[in-house]
Amino acid sequence: MKAIVDCNSFYCSCERVFRPDLTTRPVVVLSNNDGCIVSRTDEAKKLGVGMAAPYYQNKDVIEKNDVAVFSSNYNLYGDLSARVMDTLRELAGAGNVEVYSVDEAFLDLSTVPNEQLYKVAKEIKETVEEWTGIKVSIGVAPTKVLAKVANRLSKKDKQQSNCIMVLDTEEKILKALKQTAVEDIWGVGHRSSTKLKQLWSIYDGLQLRNMTEEWAKTTLGGVVGVRLIKELKGEQTIEMKDPLEQKKMIATTRMFGKPVHELSDLKEAVATYTSRAAEKLRRQSCAAKFIDVFVVTNDYEGNQYEYHPKTKHNHVKLLQPTSHTNELIKNAVPLVEKLYTRGSKYLKAGVMLGGLVPDESIQGNIFKTDTANHQRILMQALDNLNFSMRDDVVKYVASGLKRNWKMRQEMRSGRYTTRWDELFAIH
Amino acid sequence: MDGEYFSGAAYRGSKQFSQQDVRTANATGFGAAADDYAERGIDLNEQLIRNKPATFFFRMKGDAMTGAGIFDGDVLIVDRSLKLADGKVIVAILNGELLIRRYHKNFSSAFLIAENERFKSINLAEFNDFSLWGVVVYSIHQL
């Protein structure tokens, strides 16, 4: 059997760990730059606060109902996420945990006898909450797709389900699929769900399960569709993945704190994002073959909330794959110069590093000149300093000292678990 | 996750060490006599933190616990995986607030007691929303 453990309104749960007064109060967390709502509790949902909705559109409801609002505190969320995953590894064995996202993990429970699945799931849920303060929901079923279905239903009526749903019999599986709309099934995209409804009158999971594999092959995108049908029928086709699977592309992009007009600010931002992306690149021991830089402008005059963004891209292929920040900045910054037009309002910029290959320079190379190794040692020193001292203590001057464009985070809570000088004060 | 891999870069934990990390291990001759006694140094993380994902740090504010040797500005190490028991210094949740006090329980009642005469004891019978946040296991005091 497979299980999926999913943290309930994860970012909001993190905010509640140190604020028990918020346990029953509605809470929302805003995106980078306080633009949109990225996490909301059930209480906030009931008030009609939309997901991914712009903050200003919900401001009235939020103020009227005393909703607690937080800017995102990714340092806190990242740390608590690692604690949740560590707890799961402790309980289920490290090899049986596949971290799927910051707040979700699959567990392989194939060694647990069926009659004990509920007990084990309950113990996992309670231990995670006791150790980390984070509430989770758990869905257990024969396959990953069905576990997702179970998890979704367990969240529907939390009091009744106690946030746990185990689909261990054919009967329970059929009933659960009947209650699940076709678009809510993991792997069914928005477009294919429209097609399924219009062309095939398939509205729920059960109807989809009753289709044949041959049908799936021709209408549901070939092999992927066949796998989906098999998973729905209880046959495992999606195995536990190697969690260290490497990414094909690394991107760093942010909204600016306020619109940026100057080329110098734009260049600083791009240099900063490049440094950050390069850091991620080195963390997975890769080098990039090309850089893509993009900027988003909004030159629409009128209502400030009307959003007519335009994105412009520019990219360059590097002569040699590299992971060195200075090389990457040297190539990225000229791209911005070409994208820039005076008088435009820039909202956002981003850097993408693509064509990733294993970084051979990391091993050091005796056939290369000494200076190549110097670069590698420099990058290691840079990463270690920035990791242990935090806040990018060592940075390239190209990334700016003033940082006029830095994002807004007006309502961020303390970084209680990652900063010695921001520990939670207790009386 | 990225974070974990990253933490490996600066702090490799205390259990992964190689022969090269033990300074005298490759020495010969006179220095080799010390090899028999070579071991790794004391690691405070290992000594003070029993259950890493469940351990959090707090900063003491005020003088409610001076009698227990906890002073303003001290850093508290709190383990959420430990159970509530009589006599433990705990981080309590009371009225939606976090509070550090000593927990005292007898047959009929339970109290949260400050270790300072100026503070009154809290009779938990008067509250129905008391719960445990975590148990304080160490206090770090700077001299």
Side-chain angles (χ1 to χ4, degrees), chain A residues 281-419:
Chain A
L281 191 65
R282 291 193 292 272
R283 228 183 291 170
Q284 60 174 56
S285 309
C286 282
K289 272 195 274 196
F290 66 82
I291 310 176
D292 182 292
V293 169
F294 66 91
V295 291
V296 179
T297 54
N298 182 14
D299 293 328
Y300 182 75
E301 300 290 331
N303 185 345
Q304 58 163 324
Y305 293 130
E306 294 235 20
Y307 189 50
H308 294 270
K310 277 205 190 76
T311 308
K312 286 202 283 184
H313 281 269
N314 198 356
H315 72 273
V316 64
K317 194 164 180 299
L318 301 169
L319 292 174
Q320 227 171 18
T322 183
S323 65
H324 298 154
T325 307
N326 48 349
E327 283 291 319
L328 293 165
I329 289 183
K330 220 192 289 169
N331 284 288
V333 170
L335 297 177
V336 202
E337 285 171 8
K338 284 181 215 148
L339 289 173
Y340 179 78
T341 32
R342 176 153 289 285
S344 276
K345 264 200 299 192
Y346 292 90
L347 301 181
K348 188 177 180 175
V351 174
M352 254 179 330
L353 303 179
L356 305 192
V357 291
D359 190 350
E360 271 135 23
S361 76
I362 287 175
Q363 301 300 327
N365 188 338
I366 50 164
F367 299 113
K368 268 191 198 149
T369 54
D370 265 356
T371 43
N373 285 330
H374 289 164
Q375 274 296 338
R376 173 177 57 88
I377 293 162
L378 177 65
M379 288 303 122
Q380 263 169 13
L382 181 78
D383 288 345
N384 277 332
L385 274 170
N386 281 336
F387 176 67
S388 51
M389 316 269 294
R390 299 174 175 83
D391 267 344
D392 293 350
V393 283
V394 187
K395 58 190 172 225
Y396 284 82
V397 178
S399 55
L401 299 171
K402 276 206 309 254
R403 302 189 167 189
N404 296 326
W405 42 271
K406 216 163 180 255
M407 66 183 182
R408 256 190 322 237
Q409 287 188 313
E410 280 159 4
M411 295 157 286
R412 203 197 64 212
S413 51
R415 290 169 287 190
Y416 307 125
T417 57
T418 55
R419 302 288 175 118

Side-chain angles (χ1 to χ4, degrees), chain A residues 17-18 20-21 80-81 83 86-87 89 129-133 247 283 384 387 417 420 423-427, chain B residues 1-2 4-7 9-10 51-56 58-59 61 75 80-81 83 91 93 96 100 133:
Chain A
V17 170
F18 289 91
D21 57 310
L80 286 169
S81 166
R83 286 167 185 266
D86 280 349
T87 307
R89 286 188 196 102
E129 190 177 340
E130 181 183 285
W131 289 13
T132 68
K247 291 176 188 151
R283 228 183 291 170
N384 277 332
F387 176 67
T417 57
W420 194 248
L423 295 179
F424 192 91
I426 191 167
H427 295 262
Chain B
M1 244 181 52
D2 282 353
E4 263 187 338
Y5 190 74
F6 202 13
S7 70
N51 185 350
K52 197 169 165 234
T55 301
F56 292 82
F58 284 80
R59 178 84 57 191
K61 200 107 197 132
V75 171
R80 286 181 58 98
S81 63
K83 300 277 175 277
V91 173
I93 302 174
I100 175 170
W133 197 95

Side-chain angles (χ1 to χ4, degrees), chain B residues 9-137:
Chain B
Y11 172 63
R12 280 200 175 78
S14 51
K15 287 186 178 146
Q16 297 170 7
F17 69 110
S18 69
Q19 202 179 22
Q20 275 75 43
D21 297 332
V22 182
R23 243 178 283 154
T24 61
N26 292 324
T28 51
F30 188 69
D35 283 0
D36 294 348
Y37 302 96
E39 59 182 355
R40 65 206 161 87
I42 291 166
D43 182 344
L44 282 179
N45 281 304
E46 198 175 295
Q47 297 303 320
L48 305 183
I49 298 173
R50 212 188 53 115
N51 185 350
K52 197 169 165 234
T55 301
F56 292 82
F57 299 118
F58 284 80
R59 178 84 57 191
M60 182 68 198
K61 200 107 197 132
D63 52 2
M65 295 303 286
T66 50
I70 303 170
F71 299 92
D72 187 58
D74 287 358
V75 171
L76 305 158
I77 304 180
V78 178
D79 188 338
R80 286 181 58 98
S81 63
L82 298 177
K83 300 277 175 277
L84 187 62
D86 179 40
K88 294 251 201 248
V89 174
I90 63 166
V91 173
I93 302 174
L94 200 67
N95 276 339
E97 259 187 75
L98 298 181
L99 197 66
I100 175 170
R101 290 293 184 269
R102 192 180 293 281
Y103 179 73
H104 180 68
K105 186 178 165 55
N106 56 30
F107 294 112
S108 51
S109 50
F111 294 90
L112 291 181
I113 299 167
E115 298 263 343
N116 183 334
E117 288 164 5
R118 296 200 351 271
F119 290 77
K120 269 211 284 189
S121 292
I122 299 162
N123 185 349
L124 290 177
E126 294 161 20
F127 294 88
N128 52 18
D129 68 339
F130 161 75
S131 59
L132 175 72
W133 197 95
V135 174
V136 182
V137 285

